[in-house]
Amino acid sequence: MISALAPVLIAVLMLAPPSSAQAAPDADLWPDWQAHDPESAVVIDHGDWQVVLDRYVTVQEPGVTSFDYKAASKDGGASMVAGYVDAMTRVAVDQLNRDQQFAYWVNLYNALTVKVVLDHYPVDSIRDIDISPGLFASGPWGKKLITVEGRTLSLDDIEHRILRPIWRDARIHYVVNCASIGCPALAPEAFDADKLEAQLDQAARDFINHPRAVRVKEDGRLVLSSLYDWYRDDFGESDAEFIAHLKAFAAPDLMTYLGDITELDIAEYIYDWALNAHGR
């Protein structure tokens, strides 16, 4: 019996989904999206997204926010989010300068994530929205959801084919929200091309100094967010580079610990995929 099943078991193992670190998509540039106009003075208005954020996002504690999906699904908020996303799909992105493009893509990504959740609400986790193509796909990230400048895009496309490879900034991971408690917070302020550096730095500080990102155990070992496992190279290939990244944003307590180490001693990686819903 074992020998008869062996070929089937081998085939299943070959198709099995990889580990979390291996499953994280690489930054793979789509060259078409490099087009931009450095002299452009065009400003994209994200006011409609700010209205949504003001109405439905609550700051629970520094670096932690929740979104009131229940209220938004009942009082017209879902239509507001959908309207903003639709308006953004009509923007001529290649006619914007780089800062305007960055704010555009991050705000669109976050609004599209909220829209996906609202379209399928109620759910306990965004991973329950299994609409991505592929036998072992999980969640909505691979599903083509919108069309911009004639090209259909998924959430993965925006993050891994546009944002990460064009800007090559580790802080991107702190501003694209996955609608989960374990991920960096959904910012209560829309990203603004004139304030990007300050907003990116604040997002990094807010996440890094929260226990869901970095926690020191009593034995001195680190408990880190799985974000740092999935995208380790973005934050620094060597331990020294990664520690330097954390130090750039660490508050005094964390800085005291980091100042004494040159190599990482990681106890485990953690991530909470529960929905970042208000009232949880």
Side-chain angles (χ1 to χ4, degrees), residues 167-180:
W167 280 274
R168 297 186 176 275
D169 189 327
R171 294 174 299 173
I172 289 167
H173 293 291
Y174 302 128
V175 298
V176 289
N177 182 262
C178 69
S180 302

Side-chain angles (χ1 to χ4, degrees), residues 7-280:
V8 176
L9 291 173
I10 291 172
V12 169
L13 289 172
M14 291 176 66
L15 289 170
S19 69
S20 59
Q22 294 172 324
D26 293 329
D28 180 19
L29 176 64
W30 282 356
D32 285 356
W33 294 108
Q34 291 190 94
H36 66 289
D37 181 358
E39 304 302 322
S40 173
V42 175
V43 175
I44 302 303
D45 183 3
H46 299 287
D48 288 347
W49 177 231
Q50 187 61 59
V51 171
V52 171
L53 296 172
D54 289 341
R55 185 171 298 181
Y56 300 107
V57 172
T58 299
V59 177
Q60 302 291 346
E61 59 179 287
V64 178
T65 63
S66 63
F67 191 92
D68 197 341
Y69 298 99
K70 183 176 181 180
S73 66
K74 292 180 177 181
D75 66 6
S79 295
M80 294 168 61
V81 175
Y84 169 75
V85 169
D86 182 62
M88 291 301 100
T89 64
R90 297 194 295 273
V91 170
V93 184
D94 61 354
Q95 296 178 20
L96 304 177
N97 64 44
R98 276 289 189 239
D99 286 347
Q100 286 290 332
Q101 285 184 339
F102 187 91
Y104 167 87
W105 287 118
V106 172
N107 287 327
L108 177 56
Y109 184 99
N110 290 339
L112 190 56
T113 297
V114 170
K115 182 180 184 300
V116 168
V117 174
L118 288 170
D119 286 347
H120 296 84
Y121 190 78
V123 292
D124 293 324
S125 170
I126 192 172
R127 293 201 299 179
D128 296 336
I129 306 172
D130 286 323
I131 58 176
S132 296
L135 183 59
F136 292 105
S138 175
W141 296 282
K143 173 73 172 179
K144 301 294 185 181
L145 298 171
I146 54 173
T147 299
V148 179
E149 295 193 339
R151 284 159 283 190
T152 56
L153 297 172
S154 66
L155 288 164
D156 271 350
D157 294 336
I158 295 172
E159 182 177 4
H160 308 301
R161 272 50 113 177
I162 299 172
L163 280 167
R164 288 176 63 210
I166 290 178
W167 280 274
R168 297 186 176 275
D169 189 327
R171 294 174 299 173
I172 289 167
H173 293 291
Y174 302 128
V175 298
V176 289
N177 182 262
C178 69
S180 302
I181 290 175
C183 69
L186 174 61
E189 181 181 37
F191 285 87
D192 184 330
D194 293 331
K195 299 189 291 185
L196 288 181
E197 282 301 310
Q199 290 179 311
L200 285 162
D201 282 350
Q202 188 62 54
R205 283 192 294 269
D206 285 347
F207 186 66
I208 286 171
N209 293 293
H210 191 273
R212 75 188 187 286
V214 182
R215 178 167 59 86
V216 182
K217 299 185 67 174
E218 291 184 1
D219 62 6
R221 294 187 298 163
L222 290 173
V223 177
L224 298 178
S225 166
S226 295
L227 192 71
Y228 297 127
D229 183 26
W230 300 330
Y231 301 107
R232 171 55 193 271
D233 287 354
D234 287 9
F235 299 100
E237 294 184 15
S238 69
D239 282 2
E241 290 172 330
F242 178 63
I243 292 168
H245 171 78
L246 296 180
K247 282 184 174 180
F249 305 102
D253 287 349
L254 180 57
M255 182 65 81
T256 298
Y257 171 83
L258 294 173
D260 295 330
I261 64 171
T262 57
E263 296 182 353
L264 296 174
D265 187 0
I266 302 170
E268 63 178 323
Y269 291 99
I270 59 171
Y271 208 82
D272 187 345
W273 280 106
L275 193 68
N276 63 337
H278 183 62
R280 291 190 69 93

